[in-house]
Amino acid sequence: MATTGGKNSSGAGDPARTLELLWRADAPAPAPAARRGPRQGLTVDAVVDAALDLADAGGLDALTMRAVAQRLGVTPMTLYTYVPGKSELLDLMLDTVFLRMDRPPFGAAEPWRARVTSVADANRALHLRHPWLVDLRIVRAPLGPGVMAKYEYELGAFEGLGLDDVARDSALTFVLGSVQSGARAELDARAVERESALSDGEWWAAHEPLLARVFDAQRFPLAGRVGEAAALAYGGLYDAEHAYAFALARVLDGLAALSGE
């Protein structure tokens, strides 16, 4: 697949150096401890962990090489001897969170729907735990141990559907795309609630009287009826759990039709 490159994209760094770092080939030796304290030597893993802490707390805008260096108590020049730039660091971060995902083995008798649901649930949890993932353009995913382990494991969820290899890959892409889209909407809703200091219910209570005065139910009959029913069901404008469950059920139904089930 092609990549647009640019800011906050996977696969935008030097391919050879990135692969060396992902697989820790010829990684720099740990820096000696500073003379004035017991601080341990720096490693690539320590750099990645510091970057993850920054991104998890403040998003990708908070992630700079200078900020990582400050967090580790070293100069930016020291940091560059371990990771050549932000592009390579983003690939290392992505591969690391993929590598650390839980991958419990699938039971031999476990239905494929349960296996695919487990994959979807794990990816949703990953995006909510690391919100910056939805802002990272993952086009050329780094071919590190985390990416490969995740791909190998998730492909196994589709055993028993009778799919050929290309269809299996496409089915996984379909599932992950749906999960990512839902996670983005859920994170956006959380951000709006946090920034406005109002829940959906509180926002609706504040605006409903004005809407009731200006809304023309005869002009927009479907919008009025369906919108009211949904708002009552959700207790507001949007329910992330309902949206996720509904989308996942439709994804599973589509895969069942594809397999001839």
Side-chain angles (χ1 to χ4, degrees), residues 124-184:
R124 181 190 182 209
L126 182 73
H127 281 84
L128 298 182
R129 187 163 57 249
H130 304 290
W132 52 270
L133 282 172
V134 301
D135 295 321
L136 181 65
R137 287 181 291 187
I138 305 173
V139 183
R140 289 179 177 167
L143 301 181
V147 168
M148 300 309 295
K150 182 176 185 290
Y151 186 53
E152 177 77 16
Y153 173 77
E154 292 174 346
L155 288 172
F158 298 89
E159 283 290 336
L161 272 77
L163 305 179
D164 63 31
D165 287 348
V166 174
R168 186 183 294 221
D169 176 81
S170 297
L172 176 58
T173 300
F174 177 45
V175 172
L176 298 184
S178 176
V179 172
Q180 183 182 38
S181 177
R184 179 182 295 277

Side-chain angles (χ1 to χ4, degrees), residues 32-120:
R35 291 182 180 179
R36 295 186 179 181
R39 183 178 175 278
Q40 296 180 352
L42 193 61
T43 64
V44 172
D45 289 338
V47 173
V48 174
D49 286 339
L52 287 173
D53 289 342
L54 287 169
D56 288 346
L60 294 179
D61 288 341
L63 180 66
T64 65
M65 297 297 281
R66 180 174 296 278
V68 175
Q70 290 176 344
R71 190 174 188 87
L72 292 168
V74 299
T75 66
M77 289 304 297
T78 298
L79 191 64
Y80 284 118
T81 64
Y82 290 84
V83 179
K86 184 176 178 179
S87 294
E88 292 83 1
L89 181 56
L90 286 170
D91 283 342
L92 287 164
M93 292 165 60
L94 179 63
D95 196 70
T96 296
V97 297
F98 282 0
L99 187 63
R100 292 175 180 175
M101 287 180 70
D102 289 335
R103 285 184 285 274
F106 298 126
E110 190 173 5
W112 70 264
R113 285 177 179 264
R115 298 197 302 267
V116 174
T117 296
S118 295
V119 167

